[in-house]
């Protein structure tokens, strides 16, 4: 049976929402849940939550993890943090998944150490989903994948090619797209204007026959159109891009709230209510579940720092789905195939 | 009040049937019809319930044990339910069913839905006035078992007098005849002794645990019957080999070692069972391990690792309460039900 390990020290309300999500999942899903955090606090909070104690185990982790902690110092400063203990448990169980809203840098570095990289993968990538205008796959999935969004800040062209393979494997499993369309984020449609690593990755991806469709270079303004099912970039640009998209959504939300100030605007808003609700639903990040960390030997889902219970429940569902569909195995196989093809070519 | 039974005491076991002993669905009319038409052979006991009750009714101690079933099922189901219990090897001393048809014909519709008047009356009527008496009650969270059982226990203990009881019954909107009968029984039984040792509430609906905190330590919400067996083992009512019987029954019903171990951990974290009790049980089970299968050895391993994981836990046991605000609890539960009925807010919230 799948085991979901949940870090309950991060997320909205100091992790209470993560615990509430675990309680909901214990009632709704056929999985084993391991909640990691301050045992005292967890037990007290669980008293007030409907849950199934048969499916829920509590593991104590005492060391608090400051948000601004340098990931490289986390091991020394918080050796028994919920992230460290949770990943240790995930490594021990074969069918385990780790879900956390902790600092992404700490999760990535500790996940690499505790779980290890997949054989053909040299760098891990955090993959964020975002809504696009074009839907894909038999499930009419509106989400496309953007990777990396912060795990590997500096990438070589080889890393980007591996990210493309991993992202395509993930998309083909999760969104059921047979040949995902993969694009490489750049500053224009022509390779000559792009930095050397992008040019090299572009050239390699054009030459490969990796089981996905490479559609070439994609500008940032094309990301939300949905022409690409997977957009590949380095961790630095990916983080900037995804935060820009989030910032735009937050600003739009703030503008909508401001429009409530005047009576006429409120009236207008009432008339547009249906459309606004759809827009809200479209940009509601809590329904996405979280960002899977691809390239490590177990499913690891990183959710936003202010995730509520809905985001956690969706992350748990995503993790269970990844396990059920054998996403990690698919990612490993696709990455290995690309590396092999490249080696043969050289 | 927390002491368990003394030697030579009569142990009176009180069981609810649906959702406590039997896995029953009666949330919809369709479920009700299905349950009514089900044969005895098709009825299924909650995992571990049969093994637990059989262990408690061990033939060697049967003379000192008494079992009464008080069920909300209609009297028309007596034959099939009696047969089911017989198939499970259980012969109740008393088996009370609800006269729903009579209630309908008499136009007493509140009695059809309500449980307080029926169950409290039945418990009081079947009270056995032994000098050395202990009672253990089993109910569930689908109805008002924790409320009714605790009220019964406090009447026996002399903590709910006639005035208090009358105001509680008035709030519950019982019919006059029901009130008269209960008040008369109260007059006879009031202050007979603090005999109720534990009230186990099977969390069929998975209600939050804190909903039972106002009843104090006497009420023990349980997720399964292994938990009840562990508490009874702690009270020396059950032996190690009885735990093995429950364990094996639950394992056969599909319980994984993880689920069983989690159940033990839950009890320890709540302070219902101490780490030292778990260690003691692991030692006791170790003695029978060689004669049993893998289930027991896996469970012992899990017990030991649970004890080691929770070695730091020094949880205070839940408190025994001498005063329970029954009126407040009744209104709170009523408010929750109405909020659910009229506003659609889930009962578990």
């Amino acid at each position: 049976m799948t085991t979901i390990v949940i870090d309950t020290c991060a997320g909205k309300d100091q992790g209470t929402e993560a615990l509430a999500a675990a309680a909901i999942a214990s009632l709704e899903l056929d999985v084993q849940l391991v909640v990691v955090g301050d045992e005292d606090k967890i037990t007290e909070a669980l008293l007030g939550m409907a849950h199934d104690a048969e499916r829920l185990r509590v593991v104590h982790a005492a060391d608090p993890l400051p948000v601004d902690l340098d990931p490289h110092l986390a091991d020394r400063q918080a050796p028994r943090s919920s992230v460290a203990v949770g990943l240790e448990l995930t490594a021990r169980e074969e069918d385990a998944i780790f879900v956390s809203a902790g600092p992404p840098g700490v999760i990535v570095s500790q996940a690499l150490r505790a779980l290890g990289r997949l054989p053909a993968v040299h760098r891990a990538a955090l993959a964020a989903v975002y809504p696009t205008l074009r839907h894909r796959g038999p499930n009419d999935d509106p989400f496309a994948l953007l990777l990396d969004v912060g795990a590997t800040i500096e990438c070589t062209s080889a890393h980007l090619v591996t990210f493309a393979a991993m992202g395509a494997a993930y998309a083909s499993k999760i969104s059921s797209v047979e040949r995902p369309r993969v694009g490489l984020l750049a500053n224009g449609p022509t390779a000559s204007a792009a930095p050397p690593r992008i040019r090299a990755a572009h050239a390699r991806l054009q030459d490969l026959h990796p089981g996905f469709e490479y559609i070439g270079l994609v500008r940032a303004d094309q990301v939300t159109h949905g022409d690409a099912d997977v957009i590949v970039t380095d961790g630095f640009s990916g983080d900037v891009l995804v935060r820009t998209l989030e910032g735009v959504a937050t600003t739009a939300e703030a503008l909508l709230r401001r429009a409530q100030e005047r009576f006429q605007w409120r009236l207008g808003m009432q008339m547009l209510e249906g459309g606004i609700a759809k827009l809200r639903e479209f940009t509601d990040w809590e329904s996405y579940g979280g960002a899977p960390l691809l390239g490590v030997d177990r499913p690891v889902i990183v959710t936003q720092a202010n995730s509520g219970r809905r985001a956690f429940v969706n992350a748990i569902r995503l993790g269970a789905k990844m396990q059920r569909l054998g996403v990690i195995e698919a990612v490993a196989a696709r990455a290995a195939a690309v590396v092999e093809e490249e080696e043969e070519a050289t | 009040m927390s002491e368990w039974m003394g030697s030579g005491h009569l142990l009176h076991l009180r069981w609810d049937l649906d959702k406590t002993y039997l896995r029953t669905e009666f949330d919809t009319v369709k479920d009700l019809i299905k349950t009514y038409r089900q044969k005895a052979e098709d009825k299924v006991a909650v995992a571990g319930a049969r093994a637990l009750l059989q262990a408690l009714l061990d033939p060697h101690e049967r003379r000192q044990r008494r079992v009464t079933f008080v069920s909300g099922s209609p009297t028309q189901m007596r034959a099939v339910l009696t047969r089911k219990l017989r198939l499970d090897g259980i012969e109740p001393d008393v088996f009370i069913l609800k006269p729903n048809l009579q209630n309908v014909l008499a136009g007493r519709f509140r009695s059809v839905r309500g449980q307080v008047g029926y169950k409290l009356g039945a418990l009081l009527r079947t009270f056995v006035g032994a000098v050395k008496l202990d009672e253990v009650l089993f109910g569930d969270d689908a109805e008002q078992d924790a409320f009714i059982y605790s009220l019964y226990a406090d009447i026996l203990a002399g903590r709910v007098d006639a005035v208090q009881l009358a105001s509680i019954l008035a709030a519950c909107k019982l019919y006059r005849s029901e009130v008269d009968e209960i008040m008369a029984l109260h007059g006879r039984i009031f202050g007979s002794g603090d005999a109720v040792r534990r009230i186990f509430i099977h969390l069929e609906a998975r209600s939050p645990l804190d909903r039972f905190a106002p009843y104090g330590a006497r009420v023990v919400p349980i997720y399964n019957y292994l938990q009840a067996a562990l508490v009874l083992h702690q009270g020396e009512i059950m032996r190690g080999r009885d735990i093995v019987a429950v364990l094996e029954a639950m394992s056969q019903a599909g319980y994984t070692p993880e689920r069983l171990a989690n159940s033990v951990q839950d009890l320890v974290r709540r302070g219902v069972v101490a780490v030292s009790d778990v260690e003691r049980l692991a030692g006791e089970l170790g003695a029978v391990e060689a004669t049993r299968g893998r289930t027991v050895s896996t469970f012992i391993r899990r017990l030991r690792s649970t004890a080691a994981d929770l070695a730091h836990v020094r949880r205070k046991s839940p408190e025994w309460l001498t005063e329970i605000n029954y009126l407040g609890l009744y209104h709170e539960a009523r408010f929750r039900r109405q909020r659910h009925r009229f506003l659609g807010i889930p009962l578990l919230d």
Side-chain angles (χ1 to χ4, degrees):
Chain A
M1 188 187 283
T2 303
T3 303
I4 315 261
V5 182
I6 304 167
D7 168 12
T8 60
C9 290
K12 209 186 263 179
D13 295 340
Q14 281 93 46
T16 312
E17 290 288 297
L19 186 62
I24 293 167
S26 75
L27 295 171
E28 292 180 358
L29 305 177
D30 188 20
V31 292
Q32 270 297 327
L33 293 138
V34 180
V35 289
V36 187
D38 187 327
E39 188 273 324
D40 251 345
K41 283 186 193 163
I42 292 172
T43 299
E44 202 186 325
L46 276 177
L47 293 176
M49 293 175 187
H51 68 283
D52 187 346
E54 293 173 356
R55 296 191 182 279
L56 201 142
R57 180 157 65 101
V58 179
V59 174
H60 184 61
D63 296 346
L65 202 57
V67 182
D68 53 355
L69 181 70
D70 181 341
H72 303 293
L73 299 176
D75 262 356
R76 258 176 288 157
Q77 290 188 7
R80 301 295 297 162
S81 71
S82 51
V83 171
V85 173
L87 285 165
E88 199 182 293
L89 291 165
T90 311
R92 243 188 276 158
E93 306 249 355
E94 204 177 316
D95 290 335
I97 293 152
F98 182 64
V99 177
S100 174
V106 175
I107 297 172
V108 172
S109 78
Q110 298 206 337
L112 288 169
R113 210 171 6 255
L115 307 175
R117 263 185 282 267
L118 293 172
V121 176
H122 297 290
R123 289 283 188 276
L126 259 177
V129 290
Y130 59 92
T132 60
L133 294 173
R134 193 178 72 87
H135 292 196
R136 54 194 53 77
N139 305 327
D140 211 20
D141 192 346
F143 302 116
L145 198 71
L146 175 69
L147 79 166
D148 169 33
V149 294
T152 306
I153 299 302
E154 284 186 37
C155 292
T156 64
S157 58
H159 298 150
L160 292 172
V161 173
T162 317
F163 290 177
M166 293 197 298
Y170 179 89
S172 65
K173 284 282 179 186
I174 295 290
S175 306
S176 310
V177 184
E178 209 176 316
R179 276 180 67 82
R181 294 155 60 86
V182 178
L184 190 59
L185 187 70
N187 51 345
T190 50
S192 56
R197 65 176 192 286
I198 303 289
R199 282 206 302 270
H202 176 60
R204 282 169 171 223
L205 285 166
Q206 277 180 320
D207 292 343
L208 283 172
H209 304 90
F212 57 81
E213 188 185 337
Y214 178 60
I215 61 164
L217 301 175
V218 176
R219 279 198 327 257
D221 61 330
Q222 294 171 307
V223 165
T224 49
H225 293 178
D227 293 335
D229 302 319
V230 178
I231 292 199
V232 176
T233 182
D234 60 73
F236 178 78
S237 313
D239 192 25
V240 170
L241 176 60
V242 86
R243 285 186 197 284
T244 308
L245 291 171
E246 278 167 24
V248 170
T250 313
T251 309
E253 187 70 38
L255 287 171
L256 287 175
R257 272 199 301 275
R258 202 180 288 175
Q260 303 282 347
E261 283 169 12
R262 286 195 191 173
F263 178 71
Q264 283 151 306
W265 292 355
R266 264 209 303 277
L267 220 58
M269 291 279 289
Q270 286 287 324
M271 290 167 74
L272 294 171
E273 198 177 16
I276 291 167
K278 274 201 175 154
L279 191 68
R280 277 206 178 106
E281 199 185 302
F282 190 64
T283 55
D284 177 17
W285 57 268
E286 288 220 337
S287 60
Y288 307 166
L293 178 64
L294 299 181
V296 289
D297 202 16
R298 296 275 192 285
V300 172
I301 317 273
V302 183
T303 63
Q304 297 233 27
N306 57 341
S307 291
R309 70 186 67 184
R310 205 156 58 83
F312 278 107
V313 169
N314 286 324
I316 292 167
R317 284 186 200 282
L318 175 65
K321 189 175 176 184
M322 281 176 74
Q323 192 68 274
R324 196 173 60 247
L325 299 177
V327 172
I328 298 300
E329 291 78 5
V331 167
R334 189 70 66 85
V338 164
V339 169
E340 204 177 307
E341 198 180 331
E342 277 203 290
E343 278 169 0
E344 274 172 20
T346 52
Chain B
M1 185 155 52
S2 66
E3 297 97 44
W4 282 94
M5 61 186 293
S7 59
H9 281 214
L10 174 76
L11 177 63
H12 194 172
L13 303 162
R14 315 286 209 132
W15 279 78
D16 175 34
L17 199 65
D18 296 312
K19 295 189 187 261
T20 302
Y21 182 81
L22 286 180
R23 268 168 49 190
T24 323
E25 299 290 332
F26 48 71
D27 301 326
T28 61
V29 177
K30 198 176 156 192
D31 290 339
L32 270 173
I33 294 168
K34 192 181 155 200
T35 304
Y36 188 73
R37 296 179 60 178
Q38 221 170 22
K39 289 181 190 157
E41 289 78 5
D42 299 333
K43 292 197 177 287
V44 182
V46 176
R50 176 187 165 194
L52 180 95
L53 189 48
Q54 279 180 338
L56 287 169
L57 298 177
D58 185 326
H60 293 107
E61 285 156 6
R62 187 65 175 91
R63 283 181 56 212
Q64 287 299 102
R65 305 277 156 100
R66 190 177 169 83
V67 60
T68 300
F69 274 91
V70 179
S71 167
S73 293
T75 45
Q76 289 75 14
M77 289 182 74
R78 180 175 296 280
V80 72
L81 293 173
T82 307
R83 183 166 157 68
K84 167 63 188 163
L85 290 176
R86 200 164 291 153
L87 284 173
D88 285 357
I90 291 155
E91 292 285 349
D93 297 290
V94 182
F95 189 7
I96 301 176
L97 292 165
K98 202 172 179 187
N100 275 337
L101 188 61
Q102 267 171 270
N103 284 330
V104 171
L105 294 176
R108 294 153 62 100
F109 297 107
R110 286 206 303 275
S111 292
V112 177
R113 279 183 69 90
Q115 292 291 341
V116 178
Y118 162 68
K119 271 199 178 168
L120 185 60
L123 290 171
L124 292 169
R125 260 198 317 277
T126 51
F127 171 71
V128 180
V131 182
K132 293 177 173 178
L133 173 73
D134 290 302
E135 293 205 23
V136 176
L137 288 74
F138 295 83
D140 60 71
D141 61 341
E143 284 155 350
Q144 295 162 291
D145 290 345
F147 178 87
I148 299 165
Y149 289 177
S150 296
L151 185 56
Y152 165 72
D154 278 344
I155 291 172
L156 292 193
R159 280 190 287 268
V160 174
D161 62 24
V163 177
Q164 281 173 293
L165 182 62
S167 61
I168 294 166
L169 299 182
C172 296
K173 294 193 174 72
L174 261 57
Y175 288 105
R176 185 60 192 265
S177 60
E178 287 177 317
V179 174
D180 289 347
E181 191 204 356
I182 290 171
M183 292 309 290
L185 288 164
H186 176 273
R188 251 183 280 154
I189 289 164
F190 176 71
S192 296
D194 204 352
V196 176
R197 299 284 158 241
R198 289 292 187 283
I199 294 166
F200 290 105
I201 297 295
H202 180 231
L203 295 170
E204 169 69 25
R206 299 295 190 243
S207 303
L209 295 163
D210 65 358
R211 217 161 266 184
F212 304 95
Y215 297 103
R218 187 171 51 201
V219 171
V220 184
I222 50 163
Y223 289 90
N224 54 54
Y225 285 106
L226 175 67
Q227 292 193 322
L230 292 174
V231 177
L232 292 168
H233 176 265
Q234 184 194 31
E236 295 182 358
I237 292 181
M238 289 190 90
R239 294 148 299 185
R241 67 165 195 227
D242 300 331
I243 303 279
V244 170
V246 176
L247 195 64
E248 286 176 340
M250 291 182 65
S251 187
Q252 275 169 17
Y255 271 75
T256 59
E258 287 84 12
R259 282 175 78 184
L260 296 169
N262 292 347
S263 309
V264 179
Q265 199 213 40
D266 170 63
L267 281 186
V268 177
R269 284 190 290 102
R270 282 197 264 151
V272 177
V273 166
V275 174
S276 55
D277 293 318
V278 175
E279 284 164 349
R280 183 168 64 91
L281 176 65
E284 216 176 300
L285 293 185
V288 296
E289 186 183 359
T291 59
R292 296 290 180 161
R294 249 181 74 192
T295 309
V296 175
S297 38
T298 311
F299 184 66
I300 295 172
R301 240 191 355 265
R302 296 268 179 177
L303 271 185
R304 292 202 167 115
S305 81
T306 302
D309 285 350
L310 298 175
H312 68 283
V313 173
R314 296 279 174 275
R315 191 100 342 115
K316 236 175 77 187
S317 301
E319 271 182 58
W320 286 78
L321 302 177
T322 48
E323 205 172 314
I324 295 171
N325 177 9
Y326 287 104
L327 276 177
L329 286 168
Y330 180 81
H331 286 301
E332 200 180 291
R334 189 161 171 260
F335 171 68
R336 240 188 337 258
R337 282 197 303 274
Q338 291 192 338
R339 208 176 52 164
H340 172 64
R341 194 182 304 161
F342 299 118
L343 302 174
I345 295 171
L347 280 169
L348 296 180
D349 278 3

